[in-house]
Amino acid sequence: MAMVHNDELIKLAEIYNEKGKKEMYALLSEQYGIKNPTCVFRRMCSKPALAYDKELDRFLTDGHTKAKPEDVFMSMDELCTSKKPVHRTPTAAAYEQNRSDAMEKMIRELIGDRLLELSRYVTLDSVSKTMHVDESSLKNDGYQVMIY
């Protein structure tokens, strides 16, 4: 395992900024034989000369300052190019759909149970704009009536 010197950290920071963390980790594994590249990344983050910005997820090496406005927004070319569609296996999609359907069913049942419980004690008359509450039944069943 080779030692990564401080002057090489700047090159690694540039690779991180341009190609990403995975590419930098792959380089550390192949070129330096480092099995745990996270330690090198932490060392890079602690160096004031590299100035790692968590919000931008990039190193602000010499000559690089905060992101320029033109770097923040996507260009028309980037907006118009289509991305590769993500292919999901049918079983995973079916599992997620079944899980979502089960959750919806459970929510409907819980809401239905609550409404059924309320309908035992409360009736609404929309024509006369009145609400009838059976206070004695509520108290007999252990509820407290609070009007505010």
Side-chain angles (χ1 to χ4, degrees):
M1 182 170 76
M3 174 68 178
V4 182
H5 298 288
N6 288 336
D7 56 331
E8 294 169 329
L9 292 178
I10 296 171
K11 293 175 187 172
L12 289 171
E14 290 172 359
I15 291 171
Y16 182 89
N17 289 343
E18 293 171 9
K19 298 180 181 176
K21 185 185 271 188
K22 286 184 181 180
E23 190 72 29
M24 184 188 77
Y25 280 11
L27 179 74
L28 285 169
S29 296
E30 293 169 7
Q31 189 173 353
Y32 297 98
I34 295 174
K35 294 179 182 176
N36 186 6
T38 343
C39 297
V40 176
F41 179 71
R42 285 189 198 133
R43 188 172 134 210
M44 291 169 64
C45 290
S46 67
K47 294 283 182 190
L50 296 177
Y52 179 70
D53 188 352
K54 288 182 182 180
E55 292 177 14
L56 298 175
D57 188 30
R58 63 181 294 123
F59 289 96
L60 306 174
T61 56
D62 298 334
H64 292 91
T65 56
K66 291 264 185 192
K68 299 173 188 167
E70 57 268 8
D71 294 339
V72 174
F73 297 104
M74 295 175 70
S75 68
M76 287 302 290
D77 294 333
E78 291 172 324
L79 286 171
C80 295
T81 57
S82 62
K83 292 185 178 182
K84 293 179 183 176
V86 176
H87 296 287
R88 293 177 23 192
T89 60
T91 55
Y95 173 74
E96 286 182 22
Q97 183 62 36
N98 289 342
R99 192 170 171 196
S100 176
D101 291 343
M103 183 62 84
E104 281 291 321
K105 183 180 177 185
M106 184 181 73
I107 290 171
R108 274 191 245 116
E109 288 175 359
L110 288 171
I111 291 172
D113 290 345
R114 280 257 172 112
L115 289 173
L116 186 62
E117 181 78 16
L118 277 173
S119 68
R120 292 175 51 196
Y121 309 109
V122 178
T123 56
L124 293 172
D125 186 5
S126 58
V127 175
S128 65
K129 303 278 185 192
T130 57
M131 177 185 291
H132 303 280
V133 179
D134 188 358
E135 186 177 0
S136 59
S137 295
L138 277 168
K139 288 185 179 181
N140 287 339
D141 289 344
Y143 289 101
Q144 294 179 355
V145 178
M146 299 175 68
I147 299 174
Y148 57 94

